Amino acid sequence: MGKNKRFLNKKRKGPSKSKKKHEKRSNETINKKAIFNRYKDKQKVEEEAAKQKRMEEKFKMQQETLSESEPEDDTFEQLVSCFKQQKSAPLIDSEEESLDDSEEEEEAMEIASQNISHSSNACSTSEDEESDHIDKLVLSDTELENDIDSTNDPFLKHLQYDLSDELLVSLSNIQSTEKEIIQSWPILGKVVINLPQPLSSVVEKPKLKLSILEEKIYAPLGIPPRPINKVDFDQLYLKSQLRGSIVSSNKKNLIKKDLELSEVFTPLQKDLFAFLNNYQDLYYPERTFTNADEIRYSYCLHVANHVLKTRIKILHHNAKLSKKTDLSDDFRDQGLVRPKVLILVPFKHAAYKVVNTLIDIVVPKEAGQVVNKNRFEDDFTGGELIMPSKNPKPEDYELLFSGNTDDTFRLGMTLTKKTLKLYTDFYSSDILIASPLGLRMIVGAEGEEHRDYDFLASIEILILDQADVFRMQNWDHVLHILDHLHLQPRKTHGTDFSRVRSWAVNGWSKYYRQTLIFSSITLPEIKSLLSKKCQNYSGRAIVGNQPEEGSIRQVLVSVPQLFHRFNAASPLASVDARFEYFVKEILPKQRDPLMSHTLIYVPSYFDFVRIRNYFKKEDISFVQICEYSKDAKIARARDMFFHSEAHFILYTERVHFFRRLRIKGIRHIIFYQPPTYPHFYSEMLNLMQESNQNKYGGSKCNMTSTTLYCKYDAHRTAALLGTPRLARMLVEEQPVHMY
């Protein structure tokens, strides 16, 4: 026995092949130990130590029975010697890795786990048990990351299961079967929740799947969210990577608000995040410049949490599949393409704030890296409008058009554990931020040669921030983009179809998309968009608070304000009915010479063109200002109107939105339709102050305001007068009311 030991020791001294194997295995074992030390806890370390002791005892027993004539190295002995050496071996410092390694730490973990699982076949069964146990530790922590009960995670519940046949048929119908629930929330107020229901009357509660022989589990029906009284990261299923920066990043975005250290979210953020985290569509029409930062932070946190969960799940499945050859439906975790989130904002300055909010949440200072940040700063800053010091613009105008107001842009972003990459290719991006015009230029139109919309096939979260501004820009761009969501891709784009979710392959992605819309006013166009183009099977929620007081209270001038009601059979028929009522009832009285200096405020450009053509045909004295008018023509029109050279001036709402012109000399105003923004009503009437009048234009007693409306303009008119006052007007027989 002693001779055999001397022979083995002598053989180890020479530079043999076994030494190279020994060094290679030592490196692999150190890597395995580094991963194990990163995720170990006290109980598991004690178990590993006990196993190691049993292995040493087993080796001693085998060593006593070895034949003295056996000259070869024992692989098991080398393995045990490696375990003995790792007690004094230093832990590998993951912070000293290169930039790429730090960016893709999860991939490095995945490769290391694969190296451990693919060890030499010469190792004993006990060694395989050791490596498998370490792999399970790594993968389980990678997947859950402190989640208490992943089966109740709204992310998994919403995306993991297929739709039942009954629910699918209901969603596919033009008018789906829905259950309406009205709730009252602390900050949001009245919320109307519509939950799609299957056609069958009896809905069985899905059971846990214990074997492949049991019945298939389908997606659960949508339920109303629960109010968040106290913020608990575990109950909200927020990833551990985000938890450390939530309070600091939120306070950074809410500098004007004094948040206590114990508060994580503001009351508004609690209500919003309850709906966002429940994966239901949401329309919040009460966005202001005061709560804009709260809203932006809420949906940015939801987006970051969603993307990280998707990424961790894919990496976890990659590590599992490295040791398996057969694939099951449990590993379907991807869409047809990579982009998962689309955020539409109107201006570059708004996109700049969104990206900075994501940076504060995901990679706070000294905790990560932002690739191409300098390029982003150069592209999305500067270009501010110069606000006049004399005759300043209204406050809301200065706030809206602050910063870079370019409306043609698109930006791809890739999110990893410690890095946020900007300007990535769309098909390599997780998040897309764009303006409707910028995205429309890529999507293109029917018949164009160079167009692409495949990257919109797997959008899981769609956010429209400041949707009312889209209405002022070009609402058709928004509708065009929504029409190209979830279409079948024309190319594969390197997709592994064995990993694509079955509902994505079946073309049901539109039923899983969550749409979040934030605007400052209630618009019928947005409600129509929600009902016709948003089909989330989890349901939708609309904040429906009615205005008690209208903008008529902000009118400073004392003029009689007339409201004329006309009848229309449908919203489409109201277009012709409005024009007919205007031509027959309003215009003949306003053509009287005593009614000169009349401004006609027209919200729709199509109505503006129709009235303009009629005035030209009837040879009526007028000038016009629209969003396409040049500065010289605008100046001439204003001068002619002020000096009584034109009886009428046609004025569109969009030119007022983008320029806020101070039209002087107005003595009579006709609102062809109630303004889209209620404060425009008081702004236009307040231009009739004595200081803006031509003293030769008429008497201050001869001033009026006229507004045309029908029952389909109820939202707009209620914002002017208040809901109680409008309700009385609609039921009274007389069509004209004066205030």
Side-chain angles (χ1 to χ4, degrees):
M1 189 67 180
K3 184 179 179 180
N4 188 28
K5 288 184 178 180
R6 288 194 302 271
F7 178 79
L8 293 177
N9 292 334
K10 183 177 179 181
K11 190 171 183 179
R12 289 195 185 95
K13 293 180 181 179
S16 61
K17 295 182 180 179
S18 61
K19 182 176 181 180
K20 295 181 181 180
K21 293 182 179 179
H22 173 73
E23 293 176 352
K24 182 178 180 181
R25 296 192 177 197
S26 298
N27 293 334
E28 292 178 353
T29 311
I30 291 175
N31 290 334
K32 182 168 67 172
K33 183 63 178 176
I35 298 175
F36 174 68
N37 284 342
R38 183 177 299 177
Y39 297 93
K40 68 182 180 180
D41 55 45
K42 184 176 179 180
Q43 182 179 0
K44 290 184 173 59
V45 170
E46 292 176 354
E47 294 176 359
E48 296 299 326
K51 287 186 178 181
Q52 180 179 338
K53 187 176 180 180
R54 291 196 299 268
M55 290 166 58
E56 292 177 356
E57 293 176 355
K58 184 177 181 180
F59 169 71
K60 290 180 180 179
M61 296 175 61
Q62 291 180 353
Q63 191 179 28
E64 293 176 358
T65 59
L66 283 175
S67 172
E68 293 183 1
S69 62
E70 185 178 359
E72 297 180 357
D73 290 346
D74 192 346
T75 306
F76 195 81
E77 179 185 1
Q78 296 180 10
L79 174 65
V80 175
S81 64
C82 292
F83 275 108
K84 293 180 179 179
Q85 293 175 3
Q86 17 183 20
K87 292 182 179 179
S88 59
L91 181 65
I92 297 177
D93 188 3
S94 61
E95 297 297 328
E96 296 179 358
E97 297 175 349
S98 62
L99 174 62
D100 293 336
D101 292 337
S102 62
E103 291 175 0
E104 305 293 341
E105 185 173 351
E106 294 92 349
E107 284 83 350
M109 290 166 50
E110 176 189 348
I111 295 173
S113 63
Q114 293 177 16
N115 291 336
I116 295 173
S117 61
H118 290 88
S119 57
S120 176
N121 293 330
C123 296
S124 65
T125 306
S126 58
E127 180 188 2
D128 293 336
E129 292 175 356
E130 289 286 326
S131 61
D132 289 343
H133 183 70
I134 294 175
D135 287 345
K136 290 177 182 178
L137 284 176
V138 174
L139 296 175
S140 61
D141 286 339
T142 304
E143 179 189 19
L144 300 180
E145 280 196 359
N146 298 327
D147 288 345
I148 293 179
D149 187 1
S150 60
T151 58
N152 291 325
D153 189 344
F155 168 81
L156 295 177
K157 293 172 66 176
H158 183 70
L159 299 175
Q160 188 172 5
Y161 307 109
D162 289 343
L163 299 175
S164 63
D165 295 338
E166 295 81 1
L167 183 58
L168 182 62
V169 172
S170 176
L171 292 170
S172 303
N173 291 336
I174 298 178
Q175 292 184 350
S176 61
T177 306
E178 294 181 340
K179 177 182 179 182
E180 184 176 288
I181 300 175
I182 300 178
Q183 294 183 342
S184 179
W185 286 67
I187 304 300
L188 297 182
K190 179 184 176 182
V191 181
V192 181
I193 304 174
N194 293 283
L195 305 176
Q197 301 294 313
L199 292 182
S200 59
S201 58
V202 180
V203 180
E204 296 183 359
K205 187 177 181 181
K207 302 178 182 179
L208 294 177
K209 187 175 182 180
L210 302 178
S211 68
I212 59 175
L213 300 178
E214 288 201 14
E215 186 179 356
K216 182 178 180 181
I217 302 177
Y218 293 105
L221 297 180
I223 58 175
R226 296 180 179 178
I228 301 175
N229 298 321
K230 184 178 180 181
V231 178
D232 187 339
F233 293 151
D234 291 330
Q235 293 182 358
L236 296 179
Y237 297 94
L238 293 172
K239 302 304 290 181
S240 58
Q241 176 184 342
L242 305 175
R243 299 182 182 186
S245 61
I246 288 179
V247 177
S248 58
S249 59
N250 198 10
K251 285 190 174 183
K252 182 178 178 181
N253 285 275
L254 301 174
I255 299 177
K256 297 180 180 180
K257 298 201 172 205
D258 187 14
L259 288 175
E260 299 179 0
L261 292 176
S262 59
E263 291 292 335
V264 179
F265 294 153
T266 64
L268 175 61
Q269 288 175 336
K270 289 180 181 179
D271 286 5
L272 288 177
F273 199 78
F275 285 92
L276 269 56
N277 203 37
N278 205 35
Y279 282 89
Q280 289 172 327
D281 294 346
L282 175 65
Y283 175 31
Y284 181 68
E286 298 179 9
R287 183 190 187 278
T288 64
F289 295 104
T290 304
N291 62 21
D293 293 334
E294 299 178 66
I295 295 172
R296 186 184 304 110
Y297 184 86
S298 299
Y299 69 69
C300 285
L301 178 61
H302 177 57
V303 165
N305 194 41
H306 178 86
V307 173
L308 286 176
K309 285 181 179 180
T310 304
R311 178 176 177 78
I312 292 297
K313 192 173 186 63
I314 291 175
L315 291 175
H316 168 67
H317 286 169
N318 289 346
K320 275 191 172 182
L321 290 174
S322 64
K323 298 180 293 183
K324 292 185 178 182
T325 56
D326 57 331
L327 290 176
S328 64
D329 291 343
D330 295 337
F331 294 98
R332 293 185 177 271
D333 50 17
Q334 303 174 20
L336 295 171
V337 289
R338 180 167 179 174
K340 294 173 280 293
V341 179
L342 174 61
I343 303 176
L344 294 180
V345 288
F347 304 116
K348 276 189 173 182
H349 181 62
Y352 179 79
K353 289 185 176 180
V354 171
V355 174
N356 280 321
T357 303
L358 287 171
I359 291 174
D360 294 336
I361 294 174
V362 180
V363 284
K365 190 176 182 181
E366 299 179 357
Q369 297 168 336
V370 181
V371 181
N372 293 325
K373 187 175 182 180
N374 292 335
R375 177 185 172 188
F376 172 74
E377 292 282 345
D378 294 338
D379 289 349
F380 284 78
T381 56
E384 295 88 352
L385 295 178
I386 300 176
M387 299 296 175
S389 56
K390 184 180 180 181
N391 295 327
K393 301 290 185 181
E395 182 182 5
D396 66 292
Y397 180 88
E398 295 185 356
L399 292 173
L400 178 62
F401 293 99
S402 61
N404 194 325
T405 56
D406 186 5
D407 62 350
T408 309
F409 62 90
R410 52 258 177 188
L411 178 68
M413 303 169 60
T414 299
L415 183 61
T416 62
K417 185 173 183 181
K418 291 188 176 181
T419 305
L420 189 65
K421 299 179 182 179
L422 306 177
Y423 293 97
T424 54
D425 179 72
F426 273 14
Y427 291 98
S428 302
S429 302
D430 298 312
I431 304 172
L432 306 178
I433 301 179
S435 65
L437 177 59
L439 203 58
R440 171 70 184 267
M441 294 175 66
I442 296 180
V443 173
E446 190 70 27
E448 293 184 6
E449 181 179 0
H450 301 288
R451 58 184 308 218
D452 187 13
Y453 49 82
D454 288 354
F455 55 86
L456 300 175
S458 297
I459 296 298
E460 297 169 359
I461 298 179
L462 171 64
I463 300 174
L464 281 71
D465 197 2
Q466 295 178 273
D468 52 290
V469 182
F470 301 153
R471 179 71 175 78
M472 291 291 108
Q473 290 176 331
N474 196 328
W475 188 249
D476 183 63
H477 293 340
V478 177
L479 300 179
H480 188 76
I481 293 171
L482 291 178
D483 288 338
H484 287 78
L485 288 175
H486 311 301
L487 298 180
Q488 183 177 355
R490 297 175 294 178
K491 299 180 181 178
T492 60
H493 303 286
T495 302
D496 182 5
F497 288 94
S498 63
R499 299 284 297 276
V500 177
R501 296 186 179 98
S502 57
W503 50 260
V505 177
N506 293 333
W508 301 342
S509 298
K510 61 182 179 180
Y511 302 127
Y512 289 80
R513 187 189 77 232
Q514 181 186 29
T515 305
L516 308 174
I517 304 178
F518 305 98
S519 69
S520 61
I521 53 176
T522 301
L523 288 175
E525 292 87 348
I526 298 180
K527 286 190 173 182
S528 174
L529 182 147
L530 272 174
S531 61
K532 294 182 179 180
K533 299 186 181 297
C534 300
Q535 299 168 295
N536 187 353
Y537 80 87
S538 293
R540 63 179 181 272
I542 300 177
V543 178
N545 297 317
Q546 300 296 333
E548 296 296 327
E549 298 179 356
S551 62
I552 193 173
R553 289 180 173 271
Q554 280 74 49
V555 177
L556 303 178
V557 296
S558 179
V559 297
Q561 302 172 49
L562 301 174
F563 287 82
H564 291 254
R565 185 182 74 240
F566 64 92
N567 298 321
S570 65
L572 185 61
S574 67
V575 177
D576 294 333
R578 189 187 311 275
F579 180 76
E580 184 178 355
Y581 187 88
F582 171 76
V583 171
K584 293 183 177 180
E585 301 294 336
I586 305 298
L587 189 59
K589 301 176 183 178
Q590 295 296 136
R591 294 183 65 175
D592 190 283
L594 295 176
M595 305 298 287
S596 62
H597 292 268
T598 298
L599 181 142
I600 303 177
Y601 181 97
V602 188
S604 171
Y605 182 75
F606 300 104
D607 291 332
F608 167 82
V609 172
R610 188 173 187 178
I611 296 173
R612 182 190 63 187
N613 294 340
Y614 180 81
F615 278 17
K616 289 182 178 180
K617 179 181 177 181
E618 298 294 326
D619 196 20
I620 299 174
S621 173
F622 78 102
V623 290
Q624 57 179 316
I625 298 177
C626 68
E627 54 269 31
Y628 304 108
S629 301
K630 297 182 179 180
D631 291 342
K633 188 174 182 179
I634 292 175
R636 176 172 173 80
R638 295 173 66 181
D639 183 73
M640 293 179 63
F641 181 73
F642 182 77
H643 291 96
S644 305
E645 297 180 24
H647 188 97
F648 293 99
I649 180 172
L650 298 181
Y651 188 68
T652 63
E653 185 174 64
R654 289 178 66 187
V655 72
H656 185 71
F657 176 84
F658 286 105
R659 305 194 67 166
R660 300 295 176 90
L661 300 174
R662 290 175 176 265
I663 308 296
K664 295 184 177 182
I666 304 174
R667 292 192 175 274
H668 307 278
I669 291 183
I670 299 175
F671 290 95
Y672 189 75
Q673 186 179 5
T676 304
Y677 290 88
H679 63 276
F680 284 0
Y681 179 82
S682 56
E683 276 186 19
M684 297 303 300
L685 287 180
N686 290 335
L687 292 176
M688 300 169 67
Q689 300 178 51
E690 187 64 28
S691 59
N692 293 330
Q693 298 295 338
N694 182 351
K695 61 181 180 180
Y696 302 107
S699 170
K700 65 179 181 179
C701 298
N702 184 23
M703 302 173 73
T704 60
S705 169
T706 303
T707 304
L708 277 68
Y709 74 99
C710 66
K711 62 181 180 180
Y712 300 107
D713 299 321
H715 286 290
R716 298 187 179 201
T717 313
L720 304 184
L721 302 174
T723 304
R725 189 178 293 177
L726 175 63
R728 294 193 300 267
M729 291 169 52
L730 291 175
V731 297
E732 292 182 3
E733 294 183 1
Q734 57 181 10
V736 182
H737 298 80
M738 184 179 70
Y739 295 96

